[in-house]
């Protein structure tokens, strides 16, 4: 089955700096790569996703890049703010099934 | 807004008890999912249902069963709870996919933190 590795497990950044989280996947047939944000006491919520026919996607301060050849994808958050503090999960999918990374706890220092 | 609700936020049960976790979604989604979330392991799929009375095993179905009698409701059952089932349980729902190249966002509930003593 699909195996998704996510790094780093924790990330502390100064407010205003950028944050980058990286994931690799094993199944070359995976074609959909969502990123979820989980705030304390809440369920994960989709923040951005990318499909395998696209190399990069941006939505305001967040962007995702995908390298199909190397089987890795990354989340970039620019101009970090305190409300960006959360746990972020990457996932890879073929059909309905999502395989999640272990998660990255992001802390934005004021 | 899509709403996925779970019956309890916190639950404490004894080893050997039968445990029911309930999930309800209000968006008429075809697909419903149960995951467990453990530190360092991310989210792992327990079971998936794509229609009423239809189910498929996920990656870690052992020790669990599910029931989907109505489209909006998906239940996770621990037949005989054990301490290694202490975890956060998350329910999710999504529209049905159509074709291998399509995928739909999964909407998650707030989770149930289950402790088995």
């Amino acid at each position: 089955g699909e195996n998704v590795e996510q790094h780093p497990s924790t990330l502390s950044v100064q407010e205003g700096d950028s944050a980058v989280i990286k994931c690799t996947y094993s199944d070359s047939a995976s074609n959909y790569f969502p990123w979820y944000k989980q705030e304390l006491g809440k369920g994960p919520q989709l923040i951005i996703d990318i499909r395998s026919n696209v190399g990069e996607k941006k939505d305001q301060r967040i962007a995702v890049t995908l390298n199909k050849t190397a089987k890795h994808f990354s989340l970039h958050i620019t101009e970090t703010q305190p409300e960006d503090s959360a746990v972020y999960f990457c996932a890879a999918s073929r059909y309905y099934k999502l395989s999640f990374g272990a998660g990255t706890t992001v802390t934005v220092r004021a | 807004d899509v709403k996925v609700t779970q019956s309890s936020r916190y639950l404490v049960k004894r080893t050997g008890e039968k445990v029911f976790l309930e999930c309800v979604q209000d968006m008429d989604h075809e697909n419903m999912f149960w995951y467990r979330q453990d530190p360092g392991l991310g989210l792992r799929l327990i079971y998936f249902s794509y229609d009423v009375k239809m189910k498929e095993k996920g990656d870690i179905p052992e020790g669990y069963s599910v029931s989907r009698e109505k489209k909006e409701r998906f239940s996770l059952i621990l037949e005989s709870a054990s301490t290694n089932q202490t975890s956060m349980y998350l329910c999710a729902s999504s529209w049905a996919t159509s074709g291998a190249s399509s995928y739909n966002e999964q909407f998650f509930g707030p989770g149930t933190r289950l402790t088995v003593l």
Side-chain angles (χ1 to χ4, degrees):
Chain A
E2 175 67 275
N3 181 44
V4 178
E5 294 192 359
Q6 182 173 347
H7 299 281
S9 57
T10 61
L11 183 59
S12 180
V13 296
Q14 191 71 35
E15 183 176 355
D17 287 351
S18 296
V20 180
I21 303 170
K22 298 183 179 182
C23 290
T24 60
Y25 62 99
S26 60
D27 186 353
S28 57
S30 289
N31 58 8
Y32 175 72
F33 306 91
W35 287 87
Y36 282 82
K37 175 184 181 182
Q38 186 177 27
E39 297 175 339
L40 205 59
K42 297 183 178 180
Q45 185 173 10
L46 181 73
I47 55 171
I48 195 167
D49 56 18
I50 191 167
R51 298 181 190 269
S52 59
N53 58 350
V54 175
E56 186 172 353
K57 184 176 178 181
K58 191 173 182 180
D59 183 4
Q60 299 182 359
R61 295 186 299 107
I62 58 173
V64 59
T65 59
L66 171 65
N67 183 327
K68 284 179 58 181
T69 304
K71 290 191 282 188
H72 67 71
F73 56 114
S74 301
L75 178 72
H76 304 253
I77 307 173
T78 58
E79 300 172 19
T80 52
Q81 299 171 6
E83 56 264 34
D84 295 329
S85 294
V87 180
Y88 292 80
F89 293 98
C90 63
S93 168
R94 188 164 70 111
Y95 302 111
Y96 67 87
K97 186 180 173 184
L98 283 176
S99 296
F100 285 86
T104 297
T105 301
V106 174
T107 304
V108 180
R109 307 187 308 272
Chain B
D1 276 355
V2 173
K3 193 152 190 182
V4 180
T5 56
Q6 296 184 230
S7 51
S8 306
R9 293 302 301 271
Y10 300 94
L11 209 52
V12 180
K13 295 293 182 181
R14 297 256 175 221
T15 300
E17 280 192 78
K18 190 168 185 176
V19 181
F20 292 86
L21 302 182
E22 305 284 339
C23 175
V24 177
Q25 50 94 4
D26 66 357
M27 277 300 291
D28 203 35
H29 285 164
E30 290 80 10
N31 296 342
M32 296 189 76
F33 308 82
W34 276 107
Y35 294 89
R36 66 177 279 175
Q37 180 179 7
D38 299 289
L41 296 177
L43 281 70
R44 293 178 292 167
L45 182 65
I46 304 171
Y47 265 99
F48 158 64
S49 170
Y50 53 92
D51 202 350
V52 174
K53 297 189 187 294
M54 306 304 290
K55 62 185 179 185
E56 283 191 15
K57 292 180 180 179
D59 296 319
I60 52 165
E62 297 77 20
Y64 304 94
S65 62
V66 291
S67 173
R68 192 162 179 207
E69 297 296 320
K70 293 185 177 181
K71 190 175 185 180
E72 68 271 18
R73 188 178 298 268
F74 192 33
S75 302
L76 180 69
I77 304 154
L78 287 66
E79 295 290 342
S80 177
S82 63
T83 54
N84 63 13
Q85 292 178 310
T86 292
S87 187
M88 170 69 83
Y89 290 87
L90 290 164
C91 175
S93 70
S94 76
W95 298 111
T97 54
S98 54
S101 61
S102 67
Y103 185 80
N104 287 303
E105 175 183 356
Q106 290 188 18
F107 295 86
F108 284 85
T112 295
R113 184 163 294 281
L114 173 67
T115 301
V116 182
L117 302 175

